[in-house]
Amino acid sequence: MPRPIQATIHTEALRHNLERVREAAPDARVWAVVKANAYGHGIERVFEGLRGADGFALLDLEEAQRVRALGWRGPILLLEGVFELRDLELCSRLGLWHTVHCDEQIDMLATHKTNVPHRVFLKMNSGMNRLGFTPLRYRAAWTRLNALPQVDEISLITHFSDADGARGVAEQMAVFAAVTQDLPGERSLSNSAAILRHSLPATGAHQPPDAYVASDWVRPGIVIYGSAPDFPENSAASWRLQPGMTLASKIIATQDLATGSSVGYGSNFVAEQPMRIGVVACGYADGYPRACPTGTPILVNGVRTRTLGRVSMDMLAVDLTPVAGAGFGSEVTLWGRAANGVVLGIDEVAQSAGTVGYELMCALAPRVSVLVTD
Ligand SMILES: *Cc1c(COP(=O)(O)O)cnc(C)c1O
């Protein structure tokens, strides 16, 4: 029998979360962001749940090929554009739309031979200082692109640095609007946090946004996988999102600790009274963060308890005190939904590890087998 650890992808939850995006941005078309192998879920595994999107956005050409291989004929957007000239040939062949964020990419387009002009998304660096033309240079880049026979329609795109926090999106929106106001073309601005926090008031966003973002194309990533972009201010449950992934395993041993006994490497948990613990077949080599300290929430038989001691490569320990009747073979939910329906948000586990849900999903290890369910 294989080790009992298993991830489950919940197709219906992905569909539900996509629907939540549609509610929050009813007038926009939706790019389902599936970069990083669909945030660790697996592009092929999420495809059924996300095929209701209007397009797929990603970074790797190899991933774009995989989306086409699934039979997707709709739009695919390369969020970082191309990396070298011959990537443009693949764009032509697969009909990929691509971001243009620097002069070098325009140079490549200018030398690219194609019969079919490309749809491009011209990126503005409106303040994040990662990719894109500065506001001062944006219009010159647009003019240069617009003159190329290799270019068809030009859409306008930017990315928010603080849509999840106090700073918000107003400054970047103002910069973007000022520079682009008389340029034609579709706009793409919002990531998950902007969609949820800065959407139209009519959709009942539960806090007053400081600015409403209008996008022809929104770009949700994390929300469609069921994690809150702004945890702990808001939780996935409060945004009415459902976990797209469950990571589950089983208890493979139990130990009865006497007062003063310790658990795991470094003996950094010491029992203050006699207690029963379970040893779970899940460790950092499965993608569970080693940084999770004693006290990280975890479910046993759908009952909330805590981890104990250091996470090791293949195992971790849990406190069985609150879980009467648990023992060898009991179900353990590291994050996601337990068999009894109780949910442990990935964001809570991530917070214990000092990180975000994004990182945990993306780090799911290849050795974990993955099941796709409805
Ligand atoms: C990753 C990414 C997104 C999606 O971000 P989320 O926070 O996961 O919604 C949107 N746009 C761009 C350019 C990205 O790189």
Side-chain angles (χ1 to χ4, degrees):
M1 190 186 154
R3 282 173 79 232
I5 186 164
Q6 184 161 58
T8 303
I9 306 302
H10 306 289
T11 304
E12 199 47 60
L14 299 173
R15 256 185 227 123
H16 165 89
N17 296 335
L18 190 60
E19 203 43 49
R20 290 286 297 123
V21 170
R22 297 252 185 229
E23 281 169 35
D27 301 325
R29 271 168 293 162
V30 177
W31 292 115
V33 179
V34 295
K35 65 191 179 188
N37 198 24
Y39 289 44
H41 293 63
I43 286 177
E44 290 76 9
R45 299 185 194 113
V46 300
F47 183 68
E48 190 53 40
L50 300 180
R51 66 188 311 155
D54 299 294
F56 289 92
L58 39 71
L59 310 175
D60 280 309
L61 281 100
E62 180 264 341
E63 291 185 339
Q65 283 176 295
R66 283 162 58 195
V67 175
R68 283 285 181 249
L70 288 162
W72 179 255
R73 289 155 160 259
I76 296 177
L77 175 64
L78 298 176
L79 289 166
E80 293 181 345
V82 298
F83 306 99
E84 57 179 338
L85 182 57
R86 61 181 186 154
D87 294 345
L88 287 170
E89 286 161 28
L90 203 63
C91 290
S92 294
R93 186 140 42 86
L94 298 179
L96 308 180
W97 301 2
H98 49 101
T99 298
V100 173
H101 64 75
C102 62
D103 286 310
E104 291 81 354
Q105 289 179 330
I106 305 183
D107 297 340
M108 288 186 238
L109 261 171
T111 57
H112 176 54
K113 293 185 177 54
T114 180
N115 303 323
V116 188
H118 290 196
R119 171 82 177 260
V120 297
F121 279 63
L122 181 61
K123 181 124 182 187
M124 185 189 298
N125 168 13
S126 58
M128 187 164 192
N129 287 306
R130 230 169 40 170
L131 299 182
F133 293 91
T134 60
L136 273 177
R137 300 194 47 243
Y138 190 78
R139 296 181 69 94
W142 188 91
T143 304
R144 218 189 134 200
L145 266 184
N146 194 46
L148 294 181
Q150 292 89 344
V151 172
D152 175 26
E153 214 176 308
I154 305 173
S155 301
L156 316 179
I157 183 169
T158 195
H159 193 54
F160 296 126
S161 57
D162 289 79
D164 57 332
R167 188 162 176 186
V169 298
E171 287 169 58
Q172 282 184 266
M173 265 180 54
V175 167
F176 183 79
V179 176
T180 60
Q181 55 175 333
D182 57 346
L183 291 179
E186 295 184 332
R187 270 73 172 154
S188 178
L189 291 89
S190 297
N191 58 0
S192 294
I195 294 164
L196 292 177
R197 295 170 64 97
H198 304 282
S199 57
L200 296 167
T203 60
H206 68 230
Q207 55 193 9
D210 63 341
Y212 302 128
V213 183
S215 262
D216 298 298
W217 287 91
V218 293
R219 306 190 302 271
I222 197 74
V223 279
I224 56 184
Y225 305 104
S227 155
D230 56 354
F231 188 85
E233 191 185 334
N234 292 292
S235 67
S238 69
W239 285 124
R240 290 189 288 120
L241 302 169
Q242 298 175 4
M245 179 198 293
T246 291
L247 182 62
S249 187
K250 285 184 176 165
I251 289 178
I252 58 167
T254 59
Q255 303 291 342
D256 290 301
L257 301 188
T259 303
S261 300
S262 63
V263 176
Y265 287 119
S267 303
N268 74 356
F269 173 80
V270 178
E272 284 173 4
Q273 65 262 315
M275 64 189 292
R276 194 150 172 267
I277 68 163
V279 176
V280 182
C282 176
Y284 60 78
D286 299 301
Y288 191 89
R290 184 174 177 279
C292 284
T294 292
T296 300
I298 189 166
L299 307 178
V300 176
N301 287 344
V303 176
R304 218 176 146 95
T305 179
R306 57 178 180 147
T307 65
L308 301 173
R310 262 190 212 153
V311 174
S312 51
M313 185 184 288
D314 312 303
M315 284 174 264
L316 57 82
V318 292
D319 185 354
L320 293 182
T321 311
V323 202
F328 182 89
S330 289
E331 172 207 29
V332 177
T333 308
L334 288 311
W335 59 70
R337 190 180 296 278
N340 67 356
V342 171
V343 168
L344 171 60
I346 194 171
D347 299 322
E348 278 192 73
V349 181
Q351 185 184 39
S352 292
T355 183
V356 288
Y358 296 79
E359 190 176 356
L360 268 55
M361 305 175 175
C362 291
L364 182 73
R367 81 172 187 183
V368 176
S369 74
V370 184
L371 181 78
V372 180
T373 62
D374 295 346

